[in-house]
């Protein structure tokens, strides 16, 4: 199994480490050719307006959207969550736009720009997950086949829709690989 990691910006190395821990091969994606033969794709955090522009400049936006429409499993963290959403409240920025989600960017304001919390996630079992938020977005609404996997204080922080998985927080910044493993399960299915 080979997983691509979009490597234009952001926490690439941390996702690579998490996936290697789970015993899968990874490839950094910088060009459309790097998408050939991958079984899944990770979109890391960063800054979504910048990453959107880079996706266009590197001619990756449309090929990734096409692969996602065809069923390639894609996991987006933070900026990745924003880019995968069809709706970004109040913004017309570039996006891959595959999920029936409504996203609020930088939703936690300045004083909560970065915070951590241990939150139980039913889909992952009893043990709470240590969530790390950095200028995090949240999802305020899901539609269609999109489904919330974690709602905390009224905000959707982990969601999936068919082959797509998104988190508002950064599981790659912890030692807990359960969310990456959950993503790999989408590939096995
Ligand atoms: N606030 C960033 C954005 O709008 C996301 C932050 C992150 O990825 N940690 O893209």
């Amino acid at each position: 199994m080979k997983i691509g990691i979009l490597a234009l910006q952001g926490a690439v190395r941390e996702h690579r480490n998490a996936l290697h821990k789970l015993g899968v091969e990874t490839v950094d994606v910088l060009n459309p050719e790097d998408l050939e033969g991958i079984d899944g794709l990770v979109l890391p955090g960063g800054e979504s307006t910048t990453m959107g522009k880079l996706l266009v400049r590197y001619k990756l936006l449309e090929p990734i959207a096409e692969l996602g429409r065809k069923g390639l499993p894609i996991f987006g963290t933070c900026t990745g969550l924003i880019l995968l959403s069809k709706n970004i409240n109040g913004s017309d920025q570039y996006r891959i736009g595959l999920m029936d989600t409504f996203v609020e960017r930088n939703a936690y304001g300045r004083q909560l720009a970065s915070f951590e919390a241990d939150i139980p996630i039913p889909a992952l079992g009893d043990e709470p997950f240590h969530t790390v938020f950095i200028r995090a977005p949240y999802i305020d609404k899901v539609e269609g086949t999109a489904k919330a996997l974690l709602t905390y204080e009224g905000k959707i922080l982990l969601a999936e829709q068919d082959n797509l998985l998104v988190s508002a927080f950064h599981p790659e910044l912890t030692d807990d690989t359960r969310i990456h493993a959950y993503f790999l399960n989408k590939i096995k299915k």
Side-chain angles (χ1 to χ4, degrees):
M1 189 191 296
K2 189 169 79 176
I3 307 295
I5 305 173
L6 183 67
L8 299 174
Q9 193 199 41
V12 178
R13 186 185 46 202
E14 289 77 2
H15 276 294
R16 203 186 287 138
N17 290 344
L19 290 164
H20 289 177
K21 247 198 239 175
L22 292 167
V24 299
E25 197 190 325
T26 62
V27 59
D28 289 355
V29 172
L30 281 160
N31 298 293
E33 304 82 69
D34 301 327
L35 297 167
E36 279 165 30
I38 59 171
D39 302 296
L41 177 66
V42 172
L43 307 175
E47 209 288 320
S48 61
T49 53
T50 306
M51 218 185 287
K53 286 183 202 157
L54 290 172
L55 281 168
V56 172
R57 190 182 306 160
Y58 284 75
K59 299 191 166 41
L60 283 164
L61 189 87
E62 203 30 59
I64 290 175
E66 185 55 25
L67 287 170
R69 280 192 288 269
K70 284 188 182 149
L72 181 79
I74 305 179
F75 174 30
T77 54
C78 206
T79 285
L81 170 148
I82 297 168
L83 291 171
L84 282 175
S85 185
K86 284 184 188 167
N87 313 284
I88 306 170
N89 298 345
S91 173
D92 62 359
Q93 66 193 86
Y94 290 118
R95 70 204 64 181
I96 297 164
L98 298 174
M99 286 183 80
D100 296 305
T101 47
F102 290 77
V103 170
E104 196 66 53
R105 282 182 63 197
N106 300 326
Y108 283 100
R110 218 172 266 164
Q111 71 281 34
L112 274 177
S114 178
F115 69 101
E116 307 188 12
D118 290 309
I119 311 177
I121 301 177
L124 301 179
D126 290 339
E127 175 114 6
F129 199 92
H130 187 71
T131 53
V132 180
F133 296 84
I134 304 169
R135 287 183 63 74
Y138 68 79
I139 297 171
D140 56 17
K141 195 168 77 174
V142 291
E143 283 183 347
T145 54
K147 186 167 90 185
L149 292 173
L150 170 66
T151 305
Y152 183 68
E153 296 178 343
K155 300 172 168 65
I156 299 169
L157 303 176
L158 180 69
E160 67 182 343
Q161 182 166 15
D162 310 316
N163 51 316
L164 310 170
L165 177 70
V166 289
S167 69
F169 52 90
H170 290 274
E172 76 283 8
L173 299 183
T174 69
D175 290 332
D176 196 330
T177 53
R178 282 180 292 164
I179 295 182
H180 287 84
Y182 188 91
F183 172 61
L184 295 182
N185 258 327
K186 286 194 178 291
I187 299 168
K188 290 176 196 138
K189 269 178 201 160

